[in-house]
Amino acid sequence: MFDYYQLTVPVYTRALKQLAHILDKAAEYAAAKKVSDETMLGLRLAPDMFSLVKQVQIVCDNAKFAVARLSGTQAPKHDDSENSFAELQARIAATLRFVESLPQAAFVDAEKRTITLPFMPDKPMSAEFYLLSFVQPNLYFHLSTAYAILRHNGVDVGKSDYIGEM
Amino acid sequence: MFDYYQLTVPVYTRALKQLAHILDKAAEYAAAKKVSDETMLGLRLAPDMFSLVKQVQIVCDNAKFAVARLSGTQAPKHDDSENSFAELQARIAATLRFVESLPQAAFVDAEKRTITLPFMPDKPMSAEFYLLSFVQPNLYFHLSTAYAILRHNGVDVGKSDYIGEM
């Protein structure tokens, strides 16, 4: 049996650490090839799809808002103003600190909560639906897309960089 | 609190149905543009990355093997011989039938199981690690990558095609 803590805090911690690791490899690539951070952060797979920087911000926000909403805690604010790999790493580190600051006890009432997203005010959802059918697929979508953008553009990342240690 | 059934059968069912939906849109695109299924199934984001057909097969296999291993059931065999959208849809449908055939009671001993993957015989893992740190990120990775391949190549899919009904 799993509680809401087990399905969020350690899972998102692992995902955020792999995201940081993948971006470290992207920064190494950019340094070796003398490509600017601006160019790297602006890469995308389609003109009307979010660029790398936004994919990373959304992974962070999925993790941050999920643990905040499910624990009834206020999430820290971020301005989405990152312009470099160093700033993206700081964003991920800040998100990790917040996620890891929440103890298991903070999630004791999670299953009773109704979650209403700011951009879907007419669609309140159960905590279970929010966790399993919204946050979970979304977080991995943006993490996988960040990976795909880099992989497509020649950065030497492999599946184990995404999955992490087995 | 969640049991292993809740974290697998309904979650994978939803993911597989969205995959089928995305592939329906890809097949419509191919028909409208007179592109062969062979061309579509061979699309990829990098020369040394799996093509669309393999991404779809791996989503199916993650779902199939996860529920089989966690319930101690024999998974149905598939030959990975799909050459068309119709054959991929049949593969997804067969996977859905197997996943949905398993009742909640089949997962009662899941948490006690040790999972050893055929390609990592020296790394037995707990059921919890297998589910949360291996299958879950993997399944969404290949589903997101299938989406990304199509999106990058001009198929008119959007995020809601991936997430499903809210």
Side-chain angles (χ1 to χ4, degrees), chain A residues 1-2 4 7 45 48-49 111 120 123 134 136-138 140-142 144 151-152 159 162 166, chain B residues 1-2 4 7 45 48 111 120 123 128 134 136-138 140-142 144 151-152 159 162 166:
Chain A
M1 296 291 280
F2 299 87
Y4 277 82
L7 296 181
L45 290 174
D48 58 343
M49 204 173 170
E111 70 186 333
M120 286 197 297
K123 293 240 181 170
F134 181 78
Q136 186 169 293
N138 250 304
Y140 288 115
F141 177 91
H142 293 287
S144 297
R151 186 79 162 71
H152 173 67
K159 188 67 170 302
Y162 167 89
M166 295 291 296
Chain B
M1 298 291 280
F2 299 87
Y4 277 83
L7 296 180
L45 290 175
D48 57 345
E111 68 187 336
M120 287 198 296
K123 294 240 180 173
E128 179 177 347
F134 181 77
Q136 186 170 292
N138 249 305
Y140 288 114
F141 177 91
H142 293 286
S144 298
R151 187 78 163 72
H152 173 66
K159 188 68 169 304
Y162 167 88
M166 295 291 294

Side-chain angles (χ1 to χ4, degrees), chain A residues 42-131:
Chain A
L43 293 173
R44 60 184 86 222
L45 290 174
D48 58 343
M49 204 173 170
F50 287 139
S51 66
L52 178 63
V53 63
K54 190 77 185 166
Q55 303 290 348
V56 174
Q57 289 163 348
I58 299 178
V59 175
C60 290
D61 280 356
N62 267 281
K64 174 179 84 173
F65 287 123
V67 297
R69 289 176 179 135
L70 291 169
S71 68
T73 309
Q74 187 70 36
K77 285 198 176 166
H78 292 101
D79 290 336
D80 290 345
S81 59
E82 290 83 6
N83 287 312
S84 66
F85 281 116
E87 289 174 3
L88 279 181
Q89 291 289 2
R91 170 73 171 265
I92 294 170
T95 305
L96 271 169
R97 279 195 301 279
F98 173 61
V99 169
E100 294 188 296
S101 75
L102 294 168
Q104 195 152 12
F107 293 83
V108 68
D109 291 325
E111 70 186 333
K112 297 175 208 152
R113 296 185 193 276
T114 297
I115 312 288
T116 305
L117 301 176
F119 51 92
M120 286 197 297
D122 302 332
K123 293 240 181 170
M125 58 187 97
S126 69
E128 177 176 346
F129 186 90
Y130 171 66
L131 174 65

Side-chain angles (χ1 to χ4, degrees), chain B residues 101 110 130:
Chain B
S101 75
Y130 171 66

